[in-house]
Amino acid sequence: MVYETIAFVLFALVTVGCSLGVVLVRDVWHSALLLGGALLSVAVHYVMLQAEFLAAMQVLVYVGGVLILITFAVMLTKSTAESEVSGA
């Protein structure tokens, strides 16, 4: 029981820390990486609640899907913004 409480507190701190980092970090790429950390730690909370299906969906849909979309958006907008600045 003590180990479960320690694990819960540890991952709760990771979730809160990463969530604060998403909001406070100025770089979009680092914010996306912190969002991935927060979503993965929420998946760990689901596993601790013995909801493995929800944890798998959390990882597949949110971490896999949303973070890939953010990554592509960052890559596409950065190259467009840099080419507009250098072309002007």
Side-chain angles (χ1 to χ4, degrees), residues 9-78:
V9 169
L10 176 70
F11 283 106
L13 290 174
V14 168
T15 304
V16 171
C18 286
S19 300
L20 284 174
V22 169
V23 177
L24 297 176
V25 171
R26 297 183 63 101
D27 188 24
V28 178
W29 175 246
H30 290 113
S31 179
L33 290 177
L34 287 169
L35 179 64
L39 292 174
L40 282 173
S41 63
V42 169
V44 171
H45 286 291
Y46 285 142
V47 169
M48 290 173 65
L49 290 171
Q50 298 176 351
E52 290 84 10
F53 180 75
L54 283 177
M57 290 300 107
Q58 176 84 14
V59 171
L60 287 175
V61 173
Y62 289 110
V63 178
V66 173
L67 253 71
I68 293 299
L69 282 173
I70 290 173
T71 302
F72 284 145
V74 167
M75 288 190 310
L76 291 174
T77 56
K78 271 195 173 186

Side-chain angles (χ1 to χ4, degrees), residues 80-88:
T80 304
E82 289 174 359
S83 65
E84 287 178 4
V85 170
S86 64

